[in-house]
Every structure is written in C-alpha cells, then in structure tokens.
Amino acid sequence: MKQRLEKHTIWLLFLCCVVVYCTPKLAQPATQPLFTTHDFTAENLFSRNIEGPLFVKNGSLYVVNFQTDGTIGKVGADGSPELFATLPEGSIANSIQMNSRGQFLLADFPKHNVLLLDTATKAVSIFCHNAAFNQPNDLTINRRDQLFASDPNWKESTGQLWRIDADGTAHLLEKNMGTTNGITLSPDETTLYVNESVQRRVWAYDVTAEGDVLNKRLFAQFTDYGLDGMKCDRAGNLYVTRYGKGTVALFSPSGSLLREVTLKGKNCSNLAFGGPDGKTVFVTMQDRKGIEYFRTDIAGKGF
C-alpha cells in the first residue's frame, strides 16, 4: 500500500512539473516586463493583409487573413494558429467585432459589405451592404450592438464615417473626411475616436444615447508616418498604431502623449487587448506577417 502511494505521489509530482513547464508564457503575466515587445507567433503565417485582431475571453485570438486573404485564423494561448473560417469568394475581411450574441461582424472591403459570421456553424451572410460604402475598413461596437465603421477611399485620400444599427441599417454620420481608418469607443461609450491615416489626425466625437455623433474636435496630430488601428484601455487611455514607424502611441483621455512602445516590425496594422488579465496587447504586423505582443499596466476596455 505504501509503495502504491509513493508511486502515486511521484506521478502527481511529474504531472505538476509537466504542467508548469508547458504552460504558455502568457498564462504567467506577472513575469513579463511592461512595454517590452515579444513575438507571439512566428513570421510569415498570415498574408500581408493581417489585420483586425479580436481576443475572446475563452483564450483565443482571432485574426483576419491567415495564410491567404479571405480567411479567419484562430490563435491559441501558445501562439499556434489554425484556420477558423473561410469567407465567400472575393470577400476579404479587415476587422472583426463580436456582438452580444457571440457572432462575428467583419468589414469586407472589396465587396462593400459588413459580413455576419456564425461562430458555431461558420456560416457567413451579409449583415449590411451599401452602394455608398467606399470600403468598410475598421469597426467598433457598443453595448447596443451598434457598429461604427471607418470607410476610406485610399485613391482619393478621403473617407466617411458610418453607424450600422443592430438591424443592419447603415447611417452616414460624416462624409468628406480624410482617409478614415482606426476607430474605437471610450470605455463608457460616450466618446468615439476616428483617425485619418494620410492626414495623420485623430478626431474625437461625443456620442449620444442614440448613437449620433457631435462636437467633433482634434484629439491628436502627427507630422510623420501613418496611423492605423486603435483601442482604449479600461482607464480610457488611447493606443494608436503608427504604421511605418513601428510603434504604438499611448495617449491619456485628455490627449497627452504618455509613451510610445517600440515594436520589432514597422508596419503595425491593428491591436487588441487580451490574455488572462486583459493586460496583454497583441499587435498585427503586416511586414512580418505575424503577431507581436507587449504587456501593459492597465487592462483593456471590457476586462
């Protein structure tokens, strides 16, 4: 009996060692230094249009254009990606958001659509199509399942701003803007941030209870490099990817530049908060065709 217990104890100790050794580094966030960039995936696993990261609290990160355009990849906590879904022929997603029913909403820029992807069946349908769309680029969503979409015309260096309600109805909020790109809401959803890549400006709007925007004001402006995806942390700080420079700029809610985090690659296209505590920032890198990450001191909005 004693021999059996000893063997059992040894076996348990062995299993504990295996678990500790094999646990992904992201499962031990306290050991990671802040604002220091690491590789999350290997290079060249996605297409050059890698974009639109979305972290779901089951521990998975979803990213568009895995291996080839027109796909959605699913990346586990250890950084290993796999194919999650394939979009209809000719559709290419640029952003992913999730509604209150757990469905994915995708900005399909070649087809002028916002697509709806059922995460259980992988069925894809058109949620919103509008002939007046240039090419829906980036999305953010509020608690009422209203989407706000940037809609650039890259050739003309112009853009539009849309709201798409939960029934799929599109409302044009502003036209004749610069090249609209990154878009996100503040944690309390009363402020909408929209940037213009070519003009290097970040705008802030007040958002009404109905989802209309007003009181447009310049939040930040840069003199070099492009701007791409943006997200807010739980304290309302704004994280802006600086495309071509390879940094993420952090702004306070009042518009003060707090710091810039230097990445390994240069062409950072978007970011998402995630990890066990919401304090890991995943950044999609188009030049490296993979994902980098860094740790921050405040969890992302929604955590």
Side-chain angles (χ1 to χ4, degrees):
M1 179 70 175
K2 184 180 176 183
Q3 245 183 349
R4 284 203 302 272
L5 284 172
E6 287 175 350
K7 286 182 180 178
H8 182 67
T9 302
I10 291 169
W11 178 243
L12 283 175
L13 287 170
F14 172 75
L15 285 176
C16 288
C17 290
V18 168
V19 168
V20 170
Y21 180 77
C22 296
T23 298
K25 52 192 171 184
L26 289 179
Q28 302 175 38
T31 65
Q32 296 290 325
L34 298 182
F35 307 112
T36 301
T37 306
H38 308 273
D39 287 342
F40 183 55
T41 71
E43 293 184 322
N44 301 313
L45 294 178
F46 290 78
S47 84
R48 66 179 181 85
N49 287 318
I50 181 174
E51 253 277 13
L54 172 71
F55 184 84
V56 176
K57 290 182 181 179
N58 63 10
S60 296
L61 181 70
Y62 295 86
V63 182
V64 302
N65 303 319
F66 171 59
Q67 296 182 332
T68 60
D69 289 347
T71 60
I72 307 294
K74 178 182 177 181
V75 189
D78 63 351
S80 299
E82 61 181 354
L83 180 66
F84 178 73
T86 301
L87 303 182
E89 183 69 27
S91 290
I92 303 174
N94 200 71
S95 176
I96 313 174
Q97 289 293 323
M98 187 170 68
N99 65 19
S100 61
R101 295 178 292 281
Q103 300 164 317
F104 286 172
L105 294 154
L106 314 169
D108 172 17
F109 66 90
K111 296 286 190 175
H112 312 286
N113 294 324
V114 175
L115 301 176
L116 181 72
L117 189 155
D118 187 307
T119 52
T121 66
K122 312 292 177 67
V124 180
S125 58
I126 296 175
F127 176 70
C128 179
H129 174 83
N130 195 307
F133 287 160
N134 295 316
Q135 52 174 76
N137 181 77
D138 203 359
L139 305 171
T140 189
I141 193 167
N142 66 17
R143 297 179 189 94
R144 299 171 60 196
D145 283 343
Q146 290 178 309
L147 285 172
F148 296 86
S150 62
D151 185 28
N153 181 329
W154 290 96
K155 184 178 179 181
E156 302 295 331
S157 296
T158 62
Q160 303 179 124
L161 174 63
W162 295 83
R163 186 189 78 236
I164 304 169
D165 289 337
D167 63 358
T169 305
H171 304 269
L172 181 62
L173 299 178
E174 188 174 352
K175 58 182 179 179
N176 300 322
M177 296 183 67
T179 314
T180 49
N181 195 338
I183 187 167
T184 196
L185 284 161
S186 62
D188 63 5
E189 300 184 350
T190 62
T191 304
L192 178 71
Y193 298 99
V194 183
N195 71 40
E196 297 168 334
S197 288
V198 174
Q199 295 76 16
R200 306 184 184 109
R201 296 183 296 221
V202 181
W203 298 100
Y205 299 81
D206 293 338
V207 184
T208 69
E210 294 74 28
D212 293 320
V213 296
L214 46 84
N215 190 26
K216 179 181 179 181
R217 56 210 180 266
L218 186 64
F219 179 80
Q221 187 162 15
F222 298 89
T223 58
D224 54 10
Y225 300 100
L227 308 181
D228 214 316
M230 304 189 296
K231 294 292 186 299
C232 279
D233 66 22
R234 195 161 55 190
N237 300 309
L238 183 67
Y239 290 53
V240 184
T241 52
R242 309 252 350 249
Y243 193 92
K245 186 178 185 183
T247 66
V248 175
L250 277 66
F251 287 91
S252 72
S254 64
S256 298
L257 180 63
L258 302 176
R259 68 168 66 237
E260 281 198 70
V261 180
T262 301
L263 304 164
K264 293 185 175 184
K266 296 298 183 184
N267 296 344
C268 42
S269 58
N270 215 324
L271 61 124
F273 286 85
D277 59 359
K279 295 181 181 179
T280 299
V281 180
F282 299 99
V283 187
T284 50
M285 307 298 300
Q286 292 190 338
D287 51 343
R288 303 188 67 203
K289 300 179 184 178
I291 303 167
E292 299 178 17
Y293 78 94
F294 62 88
R295 295 281 298 160
T296 185
D297 53 346
I298 302 172
K301 181 185 75 171
F303 283 88

